Amino acid sequence: MGILTRNTTSITDLNLSFEINSNTGDFNKLSTEAVIRRSLDTILTTGMMEKPFREDFGSDVAIRLFEVAGSRDIPAIESQIRNAIERNEPRITLIDLAVLGDFSNNRLELTISYMIKKTSEIDQIQTMLSLSD
């Protein structure tokens, strides 16, 4: 009798555009990196208490953009982002977080470096949080 092995090093999720794979006829799946990136984006753009039954999910970074007056506010915002990611995304280990402020336009530029625990891959995303989003 053969040995059953499973590929346990990937994380997949449905692509919310519900595109069909022309070769298999199945819905396209997102890769591990895309799943994590989408999750981080959701965490950063979802306000606290916005998700039903998960009052602790998300962050209020977008609301803090109203309060940002200068670079002295960056450490508090960075801490809030770090806490939100560590609390809501257990599949990664945060390596580095850099926050740059564009205070005249009420925007923050984020660079997030992390390791995916299941695959030990290191990835980085850059994103912009803005009041106009």
Side-chain angles (χ1 to χ4, degrees):
M1 186 177 277
I3 298 173
L4 178 64
T5 60
R6 295 178 189 217
N7 180 1
T8 59
T9 59
S10 67
I11 302 167
T12 58
D13 200 0
L14 283 177
N15 187 342
L16 295 179
S17 65
F18 296 107
E19 296 169 346
I20 302 293
N21 183 323
S22 60
N23 294 330
T24 65
D26 291 334
F27 288 116
N28 282 333
K29 296 178 187 174
L30 294 177
S31 66
T32 299
E33 296 82 15
V35 170
I36 299 294
R37 287 172 180 228
R38 184 172 68 181
S39 174
L40 290 172
D41 183 57
T42 301
I43 291 166
L44 295 173
T45 57
T46 302
M48 297 291 286
M49 300 182 71
E50 186 176 327
K51 191 171 185 177
F53 308 108
R54 288 284 315 273
E55 294 86 15
D56 64 335
F57 184 85
S59 71
D60 283 334
V61 176
I63 293 171
R64 298 264 337 237
L65 290 173
F66 284 108
E67 304 168 2
V68 174
S71 58
R72 70 179 186 281
D73 299 316
I74 294 294
I77 291 171
E78 187 175 314
S79 176
Q80 185 179 9
I81 293 169
R82 185 176 300 277
N83 290 338
I85 291 171
E86 289 173 351
R87 183 178 61 245
N88 295 300
E89 188 46 82
R91 298 174 290 190
I92 67 169
T93 300
L94 194 58
I95 296 172
D96 190 37
L97 172 63
V99 180
L100 297 173
D102 180 0
F103 307 114
S104 59
N105 294 313
N106 292 328
R107 292 190 305 211
L108 295 174
E109 182 179 323
L110 309 176
T111 303
I112 304 168
S113 301
Y114 55 91
M115 182 185 71
I116 302 170
K117 291 178 182 177
K118 203 166 204 175
T119 63
S120 297
E121 290 181 51
I122 294 177
D123 199 6
Q124 181 181 67
I125 62 169
Q126 291 183 315
T127 187
M128 183 83 65
L129 297 177
S130 173
L131 284 179
S132 62
D133 290 346

